[in-house]
Amino acid sequence: MSDLPQSDVSRPSKLPTANLVLQGSAPPVVDQTSSEYLDAVEEEWNKRVDVEIETLADGMVDLVNLASINNKDKFKIAQETFQAQFRAESMIKAANSLLSIVHSMKLQLLLSDEAQIVERRDAELATTLQEMAEAKAKVAELLSELLQQPLNGLAGT
């Protein structure tokens, strides 16, 4: 009861080893909170997507540069053909990697904690309703000021 978990996020771990000395030792201490871990995972996903998008963009720029029409000999044509094939293959690899990332993210969404999603949605809804009520009150106040202003002006004439 005294050893409360410090995080509710499951972390992948390596398979147990045959080292018997480690069996009696205490479990490792978690040095991150759940939100810090999730932020780190999100940052890792963002970096992976950025790398693949950058690879696609650079490949496209290189293909456009290779497509220039000049007086070229057979060696230059063969060299540019090889470069174009190489760039196309790296772009295909990056596109497949992006598809894999999207698939993984969809699975994580499907298998994620629905209670957390509902809680976030409800919190956002409550915030939006509160902002809407404040905006309505402000509009009502401004409208009453506008309607009272001409009456005060007519009373003085």
Side-chain angles (χ1 to χ4, degrees):
M1 202 71 165
S2 65
D3 293 335
L4 295 176
Q6 295 187 9
S7 174
D8 60 345
V9 176
S10 63
R11 293 189 173 93
S13 61
K14 63 181 180 179
L15 294 174
T17 61
N19 191 352
L20 298 177
V21 177
L22 294 177
Q23 286 184 353
S25 65
V29 177
V30 178
D31 60 348
Q32 285 181 324
T33 64
S34 178
S35 61
E36 289 172 346
Y37 177 75
L38 291 175
D39 288 342
V41 169
E42 180 183 1
E43 187 63 31
E44 181 182 331
W45 281 107
N46 286 337
K47 286 179 183 176
R48 286 180 62 190
V49 169
D50 289 345
V51 165
E52 300 304 333
I53 294 293
E54 187 176 334
T55 301
L56 284 173
D58 291 344
M60 199 59 146
V61 168
D62 289 342
L63 283 177
V64 169
N65 289 338
L66 289 172
S68 64
I69 300 174
N70 293 332
N71 293 336
K72 299 178 183 178
D73 59 354
K74 289 183 180 182
F75 175 74
K76 186 72 171 174
I77 292 172
Q79 186 180 24
E80 288 181 354
T81 301
F82 174 75
Q83 289 175 340
Q85 288 174 345
F86 175 75
R87 284 297 176 190
E89 287 176 9
S90 68
M91 289 173 65
I92 290 170
K93 181 182 172 196
N96 284 333
S97 179
L98 280 173
L99 285 174
S100 174
I101 290 170
V102 167
H103 178 71
S104 297
M105 292 175 106
K106 284 180 182 178
L107 284 177
Q108 282 185 346
L109 180 63
L110 288 173
L111 301 175
S112 68
D113 184 14
E114 290 183 27
Q116 182 183 12
I117 295 171
V118 170
E119 185 179 308
R120 280 184 162 176
R121 184 193 64 207
D122 291 344
E124 184 68 26
L125 178 63
T127 304
T128 303
L129 290 174
Q130 181 182 3
E131 290 174 357
M132 190 171 65
E134 291 171 359
K136 282 182 179 180
K138 181 73 172 174
V139 166
E141 179 184 326
L142 292 173
L143 183 62
S144 67
E145 287 178 13
L146 278 174
L147 292 177
Q148 289 176 1
Q149 193 174 29
L151 294 176
N152 292 340
L154 290 175
T157 56

